[in-house]
Amino acid sequence: MRNAIAAAKRGRVVRVSLTAVLSIGVLAGCGTSDGPALTGAPGPALSTAPSRPAGSPDLGAAEEIAHGIDVPWGLAFLPGGDALIAERDTGRILRISAGRAPEQVYQVPGVVARGEGGLLGLAVSPQYAENQYVYAYFTAENDNRIIRFRPGGPPELLFDGIAKAGNHNGGRIAFGPDGMLYVGTGDAGQTARSQDPASPNGKILRLTPEGQPAQGNPNPGSPMYSLGHRNVQGLAWDRAGRLFAAEFGQNRFDEVNLIEPGRNYGWPAVEGNGGTDRGYTEPLVTWTTAEASPSGIAIAGDTMYVAALRGQRLWTVPVRDGTVGTPRDVLQDSYGRLRTVEVAPDGALWVTTSNTDGRGTIRPGDDRILRFPAR
């Protein structure tokens, strides 16, 4: 069943009040899983609180956890520290742990991998120890959608109707400190969608774990948390629970934004800075597209880590009290295109390369998963 967001009158775009209304359809799928169950890793339920590792990652001590992965995109940790990796083009979900070969644990049915689409973001339920749910965002035949599944069980459709295209599919999903599921979407190549309150595209959405609009959203009954985005592929929270998002620019500037409910971040009227006189929210950080093209972001302590695709480097950005310091780049040209970065339960930083995505130069062993231990 398709989700429909009722059309709403559009007024002047200035920190708009969101007026869309969503009706959700939930559908039980008929896919099957492959490989071992995901329940083998002991440990407490994964917390959605911002990570507070004992020390910062040692970026000079890279450890290759896995190689030969087909376009790794989503990355999420299970209780106990093992990781789940989404292969964009195959639709497979792999379980990865240090010292062991990757093993397939699920095959997401219905993935249509064309252009930038395919199996994208992953998230693990905050109550995984109790309910064993894993969430996935993927491109299907007609749209982008979100499912959840248990090991060995069929997928359950939670949210669909997010327009797809060869690019700008967004795809990052993550549970916030409030236990809600946040979703970064793209404009799917149609810039007007980002300012259209009747469209879920070009937005950050905030959903319940069941795929419904979360209570406390800017407009009751609407899934939209913020709008005016071009293509969001990075979501992370700081110690105080503030949400930051990475966003691809078009030809000039990429951004990291501090996301606040109901704010309008300007696309397509603004790329980078310069929109405050029209009521748009300014980015915290901008880079040229050649320096960044940011996808995943993560925050450990007082540092934000931003994975750069075209820029082929990892940006480190000091973050304190919702403000940022001067970015510094590391790992430039060391591993090629970097897609996803996440902080593990033990404080280590995990980074995925993205050289097999059709836009990179493939190096022997690509694509690989790297681990940088906490100091």
Side-chain angles (χ1 to χ4, degrees):
M1 181 182 295
R2 278 294 188 93
N3 294 293
I5 301 182
K9 294 182 180 179
R10 295 179 61 188
R12 179 173 172 80
V13 183
V14 179
R15 294 180 59 182
V16 300
S17 174
L18 302 177
T19 56
V21 178
L22 177 73
S23 64
I24 297 289
V26 177
L27 174 68
C30 56
T32 59
S33 65
D34 294 302
L38 308 185
T39 56
L46 185 67
S47 172
T48 57
S51 177
R52 295 178 177 84
S56 60
D58 184 352
L59 298 179
E63 173 189 1
E64 184 177 290
I65 296 294
H67 62 270
I69 310 300
D70 188 353
V71 196
W73 212 104
L75 168 61
F77 290 98
L78 292 168
D82 286 0
L84 300 180
I85 296 288
E87 288 190 325
R88 187 191 71 182
D89 291 354
T90 69
R92 299 193 307 166
I93 296 177
L94 307 178
R95 182 172 181 163
I96 294 180
S97 57
R100 297 175 59 185
E103 52 187 347
Q104 180 176 330
V105 293
Y106 203 81
Q107 177 76 49
V108 177
V111 173
V112 177
R114 299 190 186 113
E116 296 176 1
L119 179 57
L120 304 176
L122 293 180
V124 171
S125 169
Q127 287 79 42
Y128 181 84
E130 289 77 35
N131 61 32
Q132 298 185 348
Y133 277 128
V134 176
Y135 293 70
Y137 181 118
F138 72 96
T139 310
E141 184 64 36
N142 298 310
D143 59 8
N144 290 298
R145 51 184 53 192
I146 300 167
I147 60 167
R148 69 180 179 183
F149 63 89
R150 292 187 175 103
E156 176 186 0
L157 178 61
L158 299 182
F159 194 97
D160 63 354
I162 304 169
K164 59 174 277 188
N167 56 9
H168 304 184
N169 289 295
R172 193 71 62 183
I173 58 175
F175 280 97
D178 57 1
M180 298 296 106
L181 184 66
Y182 290 75
V183 182
T185 71
D187 65 15
Q190 298 293 325
T191 61
R193 291 176 173 137
S194 297
Q195 295 294 333
D196 183 357
S199 171
N201 288 81
K203 312 293 190 299
I204 292 176
L205 311 177
R206 179 173 174 265
L207 307 174
T208 68
E210 293 70 41
Q212 301 287 339
Q215 289 189 354
N217 283 357
N219 191 66
S222 169
M224 287 183 286
Y225 194 67
S226 63
L227 75 165
H229 300 289
R230 183 173 182 266
N231 192 19
V232 175
Q233 288 189 8
L235 299 170
W237 288 262
D238 68 3
R239 297 172 186 265
R242 287 175 285 245
L243 173 60
F244 298 79
E247 182 166 343
F248 289 86
Q250 185 171 26
N251 299 316
R252 300 175 61 218
F253 297 111
D254 297 317
E255 304 175 1
V256 168
N257 290 289
L258 174 63
I259 303 300
E260 296 181 296
R263 293 288 184 98
N264 190 319
Y265 291 83
W267 178 254
V270 181
E271 182 181 0
N273 293 298
T276 54
D277 60 335
R278 287 168 283 175
Y280 301 121
T281 301
E282 294 279 83
L284 290 179
V285 184
T286 62
W287 297 275
T288 66
T289 55
E291 293 175 306
S293 297
S295 185
I297 63 175
I299 298 175
D302 292 325
T303 302
M304 178 189 302
Y305 298 89
V306 183
L309 289 165
R310 185 179 171 191
Q312 299 192 30
R313 67 195 77 179
L314 185 70
W315 285 98
T316 66
V317 185
V319 178
R320 189 179 292 261
D321 298 328
T323 62
V324 297
T326 302
R328 181 176 67 91
D329 64 329
V330 295
L331 308 180
Q332 184 172 356
D333 299 322
S334 297
Y335 302 101
R337 292 162 61 82
L338 304 182
R339 169 73 64 181
T340 297
V341 56
E342 293 286 352
V343 179
D346 64 359
L349 193 73
W350 287 44
V351 178
T352 76
T353 69
S354 193
N355 297 317
T356 62
D357 64 3
R359 296 188 176 183
T361 300
I362 299 176
R363 308 174 183 212
D366 280 338
D367 268 317
R368 62 194 77 234
I369 313 298
L370 305 169
R371 178 182 181 272
F372 300 88
R375 297 179 189 271

